[in-house]
Structure formats: C-alpha cells, structure tokens
Amino acid sequence: MASSDSTPAVPISAPLAPKKENNTPVGSKIAELNESRAELLSRIQGLKLDLQNWRSKLDTQVKIYRDELTDLKKTLNVEVDQLRTEFQDLRNTLHQQHEDVTASLRNLGLQDVSEGVKDGEEQPKVEAKDEEMQTPAIKENGKEMEN
C-alpha cells in the first residue's frame, strides 16, 4: 500500500509546477490586454471628442445656412411684392392709356372697332381723302404723324 501512497503524490505535485509556469505568460497577456484596452478607450474618447466637434461645427453651419435662407426668402418676397406693385401700376397705366385713346378717337368721330362690334353698331364711313388732309393721324404716344 505504500506504493499506492506514492503514486497519488506524484500526480498532485506535477500539475502544480506547470500552473506556476503558465501564470507568468497569463500575467503578461493580461498586462498586454489591459494596455490595449487603455489605448482603445483613449482612441474612443478621442473619436467621441472629434464627433462632438464635428456635430458642433455642423450645427453652426446649419444655423448659418438657415439664417441666410431666411434672409434670401425675405428679400425675394420683398422683390416679388415690388414687381407685383409695378405690374399693377403698369396695368393701370395701360388701362388709362387705352381709355384715353378711346376717348380721343370718339372726339375725332371714330369708334374703337371692338366697341362697335360689341354694341352691334356699324362704324361710320368717312371720306378718306378729305378727312386725312384735315385731321392728322395720332401715334400711340400722342404725337402727330406726318403724312
């Protein structure tokens, strides 16, 4: 039985020795991993800061562009309103000129063709040669034309 006591003692001491030898490489691996982890955390923090800076710059640019677009929109609306006013003035001026020309033609004894057609009236026939010599033709701008 003494021989059986010595056999279990050998396997017990044999596994302890290899564990001590493996502890140093595991310790160095843990140290490497910790160092790598610290580097990765440092890089992550740097990337987070870069992302924050990028977002801040982007937000600033977006605000600047929005302000510029708002100003451009206001300017455009003002210009559109001015153009509408100018067109309305032109429309009114043209309408007034049309009325003036129509009144001038009536004073000369002529009728506007469109009014004659609307009213169903015939235009009076005028002796062309006699009337042309006596009444000067009127241009659009109101000046007399030479015959």
Side-chain angles (χ1 to χ4, degrees):
M1 289 205 188
S3 61
S4 59
D5 287 338
S6 63
T7 40
V10 174
I12 294 174
S13 63
L16 290 178
K19 283 184 184 178
K20 287 181 183 178
E21 290 174 10
N22 286 342
N23 282 345
T24 36
V26 169
S28 66
K29 290 286 184 184
I30 290 174
E32 284 178 31
L33 289 173
N34 284 336
E35 192 176 313
S36 175
R37 180 176 176 249
E39 287 175 14
L40 289 173
L41 287 174
S42 172
R43 285 178 61 192
I44 288 172
Q45 290 293 54
L47 290 172
K48 283 182 179 180
L49 286 174
D50 289 346
L51 181 61
Q52 277 181 332
N53 290 336
W54 181 78
R55 282 183 177 167
S56 174
K57 288 177 183 177
L58 184 63
D59 288 343
T60 302
Q61 284 293 349
V62 167
K63 185 183 181 312
I64 289 170
Y65 290 149
R66 281 187 180 158
D67 292 344
E68 287 177 2
L69 284 174
T70 300
D71 291 344
L72 288 172
K73 185 177 177 182
K74 287 177 183 176
T75 303
L76 182 63
N77 286 336
V78 167
E79 289 178 6
V80 165
D81 287 341
Q82 288 174 346
L83 285 173
R84 282 185 182 143
T85 303
E86 289 175 19
F87 278 120
Q88 186 62 41
D89 291 344
L90 282 173
R91 192 176 296 134
N92 292 340
T93 302
L94 287 173
H95 183 68
Q96 185 62 44
Q97 287 177 352
H98 177 68
E99 289 177 357
D100 292 346
V101 167
T102 303
S104 295
L105 289 174
R106 282 189 187 138
N107 290 338
L108 294 172
L110 302 173
Q111 287 184 337
D112 189 12
V113 175
S114 62
E115 287 181 7
V117 172
K118 287 181 189 174
D119 297 338
E121 301 172 358
E122 287 187 30
Q123 289 189 347
K125 295 185 180 179
V126 178
E127 297 285 328
K129 291 182 182 178
D130 294 338
E131 290 294 323
E132 283 181 12
M133 294 299 175
Q134 294 175 2
T135 309
I138 298 176
K139 279 188 166 181
E140 288 181 19
N141 62 5
K143 294 183 180 177
E144 293 182 356
M145 275 184 14
E146 294 180 18
N147 288 335

